[in-house]
Amino acid sequence: MRYSKRVESVSLSGIRKMFELAGENAISLGLGEPDFDTPLHIREAAQKAIEEGLTHYTVNKGIPELRGAISRKLQEDNNIEADPESIIVTVGASEALFMCMQALVDEGDHVLVPDPGFLSYAACVKLSGGIPVPIKLEESTEFRTTPESVLESLTDNTKAIVLNSPSNPTGGVMSKEDVKGLAEIADDHDIVLISDEIYEKIIYDEKHYSPGSYSENVVTINGFSKAYAMTGFRVGYTAASPELTEELLKVHQYTTACATSISQSAALAALEGPQDCVGEMVTEFKNRRDLLLKRLKELGIDCPTPKGAFYAFPEVPESEKFVKDALKRDVITVHGSSFGGYGRDNIRLSYATSQENINEAMDRLEDLKIV
């Protein structure tokens, strides 16, 4: 059978492959999923939606109440003016990213993607017929996407630039100067910034800045999976100019029609309900981060301090061997090459698991101590 060259050009997730190799007693430091239960008031909203029969199609863009709440959130938290009609509720941030590439990228167009960066970025570019061009992120600049690093990667064929702050897999956070500088580049070169802000609320000792507050050449992508521990609900959103939203809607309409009605009710409760649950989770993530860094140092592994998200990305000698040896000890980690060529000397560790699990995992790796 002959397959699409676009599909053959991408590989299945290296993160998921690790789980297929793991034993029953494995401790996962691999998957980027909060281990907390979805807050009760959000679950109750989903149950109420079912009981009230809100189980049918919604309008393509999403229920008006949710889009209105997202519009207010963007104004209050991100200083982004987004009319509810310029917002599309999506099946997670993953669909939002796919929509952007399908709507913006033609065969042969270049899209700049962070490297190391989330593996879906390059894959979605390839599935659209485009060419992913890496932006080299370095530990010396805290794995931030800077204007200087973008200008080094810019080509005449560049159509869009993907930004991700806080970052998966590095935990890097862009500064206000970074964000303003990148917005200026987008305006000067008429390039669209695709800003993945899914980890926006999981940030430590820093402040999040949105490119959409400085430029109209931006698609803001966000969602509910990480901040509200709602990964299984699969609900995210895009906010963009009216013209671009119209093109994004075409892709959304012919792929998923609408996000799940029940999940949209839950997302509305997440935005309009108490927010202390988010702060409590972030505080615990920070405690776990500090514990993981301490235990890594005891193993002889120096790691830059992540400023957001829930990942550590240390450089490790013989990184591929380390990942395999860790797996033999029932500890799941992810090799840095899953996130681009510039991550090949690193490993990613997710601390979205309990402090007890982190300590046990590090105990199992004690004999891999680096001297």
Side-chain angles (χ1 to χ4, degrees):
M1 186 177 291
R2 297 171 63 185
Y3 302 101
S4 159
K5 290 181 180 178
R6 292 191 307 280
V7 173
E8 287 189 327
S9 72
V10 301
S11 302
L12 291 173
S13 166
I15 301 171
R16 298 287 177 177
K17 286 179 182 177
M18 293 300 296
F19 290 89
E20 296 174 8
L21 300 172
E24 287 183 8
N25 298 315
I27 294 175
S28 174
L29 302 179
L31 195 61
E33 178 177 31
D35 61 323
F36 303 101
D37 289 331
T38 305
L40 180 60
H41 68 282
I42 299 174
R43 285 180 277 147
E44 288 177 340
Q47 290 175 326
K48 184 179 179 183
I50 294 172
E51 291 166 359
E52 293 182 352
L54 301 179
T55 56
H56 302 279
Y57 289 130
T58 73
V59 295
N60 291 140
K61 288 184 179 179
I63 59 174
E65 298 88 348
L66 177 55
R67 285 185 286 125
I70 292 169
S71 176
R72 293 189 293 275
K73 180 265 177 212
L74 289 170
Q75 173 64 59
E76 294 167 7
D77 292 357
N78 307 93
N79 196 30
I80 294 175
E81 297 283 351
D83 184 272
E85 287 302 310
S86 295
I87 292 166
I88 300 174
V89 181
T90 61
V91 182
S94 297
E95 189 213 350
L97 178 66
F98 182 81
M99 283 162 45
C100 288
M101 299 308 173
Q102 294 297 315
L104 288 167
V105 180
D106 282 319
E107 196 78 27
D109 282 343
H110 291 181
V111 178
L112 305 192
V113 298
D115 185 348
F118 183 45
L119 67 169
S120 288
Y121 299 146
C124 284
V125 174
K126 291 178 181 178
L127 288 172
S128 70
I131 300 171
V133 177
I135 306 167
K136 185 178 182 181
L137 307 186
E138 300 182 272
E139 186 177 334
S140 60
T141 52
E142 302 175 314
F143 293 116
R144 298 177 357 251
T145 302
T146 64
E148 294 77 17
S149 61
V150 165
L151 287 172
E152 287 178 5
S153 302
L154 211 61
T155 73
D156 292 338
N157 294 323
T158 301
K159 193 71 169 288
I161 303 169
V162 178
L163 306 178
N164 179 216
S165 179
S167 161
N168 174 11
T170 69
V173 173
M174 291 191 296
S175 69
K176 183 177 182 179
E177 291 71 25
D178 293 333
V179 173
K180 289 181 71 174
L182 291 164
E184 289 174 6
I185 290 172
D187 289 343
D188 290 344
H189 296 268
D190 196 23
I191 293 170
V192 176
L193 299 179
I194 300 170
S195 182
D196 179 357
E197 304 182 22
I198 192 69
Y199 295 98
E200 166 199 14
K201 292 185 180 295
I202 305 174
I203 195 167
Y204 321 108
D205 309 317
E206 297 285 334
K207 182 172 168 52
H208 174 77
Y209 296 95
S210 294
S213 65
Y214 300 106
S215 171
E216 293 184 0
N217 283 339
V218 179
V219 182
T220 301
I221 294 177
N222 210 325
F224 300 84
S225 291
K226 312 299 183 180
Y228 298 97
M230 291 175 63
T231 52
F233 285 82
R234 308 309 305 130
V235 59
Y237 58 87
T238 61
S241 67
E243 297 79 14
L244 181 48
T245 296
E246 195 70 16
E247 302 308 307
L248 293 169
L249 182 60
K250 294 176 186 177
V251 183
H252 176 65
Q253 191 176 78
Y254 292 116
T255 52
T256 58
C258 64
T260 306
S261 58
I262 299 158
S263 294
Q264 291 188 59
S265 296
L268 180 60
L271 284 182
E272 294 190 335
Q275 300 298 303
D276 54 334
C277 54
V278 178
E280 290 167 3
M281 284 190 277
V282 172
T283 297
E284 177 58 17
F285 280 137
K286 185 176 182 181
N287 291 337
R288 294 172 180 183
R289 177 200 68 175
D290 295 343
L291 172 62
L292 179 61
L293 294 181
K294 174 179 174 290
R295 294 302 308 268
L296 286 173
K297 192 166 187 177
E298 291 170 359
L299 291 179
I301 298 173
D302 290 323
C303 181
T305 301
K307 295 189 174 182
F310 36 67
Y311 308 104
F313 199 66
E315 184 175 333
V316 178
E318 298 184 87
S319 54
E320 287 190 30
K321 182 176 184 298
F322 186 96
V323 169
K324 291 176 182 177
D325 288 344
L327 189 61
K328 291 174 183 175
R329 291 156 179 78
D330 276 335
V331 177
I332 302 173
T333 62
V334 183
H335 190 251
S337 61
S338 293
F339 307 98
Y342 293 121
R344 59 184 173 271
D345 295 326
N346 298 66
I347 61 171
R348 191 192 76 171
L349 305 166
S350 169
Y351 47 91
T353 188
S354 69
Q355 294 189 46
E356 180 182 4
N357 279 344
I358 291 170
N359 273 320
E360 174 61 25
M362 294 298 107
D363 288 346
R364 294 181 185 184
L365 301 181
E366 278 255 313
D367 63 325
L368 297 181
K369 184 177 290 188
I370 295 166
V371 293

